[in-house]
Amino acid sequence: MLNIAVKAARRAGSIIMRASDNLDALTVRHKSLNDLVSEVDRAAEEAIIDTLKSAYPDHAILAEESGASGDSEYTWIIDPLDGTTNFLHGFPVYCVSIALAQKGVLTHGVVFDPNRNDLYTASRGAGAFLNDRRIRVSKRDRLIDGLVATGFPFRMFKHTDAYVGMMKEFMQKTAGIRRPGAAALDLASVAAGRMDGFWEIGLSPWDMAAGALLVQEAGGLVGDLEGNEGYLAGGNIVAANPKLFPQMLDVIQRHLTTDLRARPGGTTG
Ligand code: IPD
Ligand code: CA
Ligand code: CA
């Protein structure tokens, strides 16, 4: 299954890279404020689904552009192009993200960065790999030495104040904050020890699924803003090496609003 996912991710990567040579020719549509989609997102998603479906016609799909379809214990969770805004500006930080969940448990994940030709893969219980070499989260154990990735809540402004509070404190208590612009790649970077931690508010399952498995299989921890499970449905995520995870939660904790605390059975939106 992982091999098929890799094949699908590479196909999508070629479509994206071919299009990156001629960005001016693309038609871009606003799905909502700051939420862009181009025909490249769609073509990449079609190629992925086509590849997965020809191998596993009965599996269900949850994909960013075409939504949910099928009914199976297996669901492929797909972001055909994570980092669309970067892509459309020619800023070469974006990726393809594909994960498989079986009965709601993530079992395989692929994140492919076509610019660096970096292929991140993970299967539950079998470790995480970057271009077939085993990766592990970093060993840094003091937040003040940590390089932390994040994403801004740039579509949903009700969390701005809480988020800025977190950012202000992390600014003072880490070695640096980065906002690369592709959540799946941020998580993959944590898995590879290139970043020490990551947090973001208001993500979708396809932004997080593959990257979260990568982090766990690389020995890291993933949770919602209170460190609990349910982040895929809730949309808010913290990921870090095991030493920095509680230290990040500690900072975040001080800025949580009622809205940002997980509600059983609901999302934190
Ligand atoms: C976005 C990117 C970005 C994150 C956004 C996502 P998209 O995905 O992952 O880093 O901050 O919240 O929606 O729209 O480029 O697939
Ligand atoms: Ca995305
Ligand atoms: Ca996307």
Side-chain angles (χ1 to χ4, degrees), residues 142-258:
R142 298 185 328 155
L143 190 58
I144 193 72
D145 297 324
L147 185 61
V148 171
T150 187
F152 306 137
F154 61 105
R155 287 176 194 138
M156 214 175 15
F157 300 117
K158 65 177 177 179
H159 299 310
T160 306
D161 289 345
Y163 177 80
V164 169
M166 296 171 194
M167 193 163 80
K168 184 173 174 191
E169 200 173 331
F170 278 125
M171 218 183 276
Q172 296 160 352
K173 294 189 172 166
T174 62
I177 302 177
R178 300 291 181 267
R179 198 295 188 229
L185 212 44
D186 294 340
L187 286 161
S189 299
V190 173
R194 292 173 168 179
M195 289 281 176
D196 302 296
F198 167 68
W199 95 101
E200 186 160 345
I201 291 170
L203 288 173
S204 299
W206 46 79
D207 300 314
M208 300 178 276
L213 185 63
L214 279 163
V215 171
Q216 289 169 341
E217 287 299 321
L221 297 175
V222 184
D224 65 14
L225 300 182
E226 294 168 288
N228 301 316
E229 289 183 16
Y231 50 88
L232 273 194
N236 307 327
I237 189 168
V238 183
N241 78 35
K243 289 274 169 18
L244 295 195
F245 187 72
Q247 297 176 47
M248 286 189 70
L249 288 176
D250 191 48
V251 169
I252 289 167
Q253 189 65 30
R254 280 192 279 280
H255 305 278
L256 286 183
T257 54
T258 327

Side-chain angles (χ1 to χ4, degrees), residues 10 13 17 92-95 111-120 130-131 185 188-189 192 194:
R10 286 198 185 277
M17 289 313 282
V93 179
Y94 42 82
C95 65
V111 171
F112 180 51
D113 170 351
N115 283 290
R116 301 177 61 93
N117 207 13
D118 275 350
L119 179 74
Y120 299 86
L130 166 53
N131 297 329
L185 212 44
S189 299
R194 292 173 168 179

Side-chain angles (χ1 to χ4, degrees), residues 31 36 41 64-65 79-84 206-207:
K31 286 193 278 189
L36 303 171
D41 300 62
E64 179 173 13
E65 311 306 342
D79 191 337
L81 173 49
D82 185 43
T84 296
W206 46 79
D207 300 314

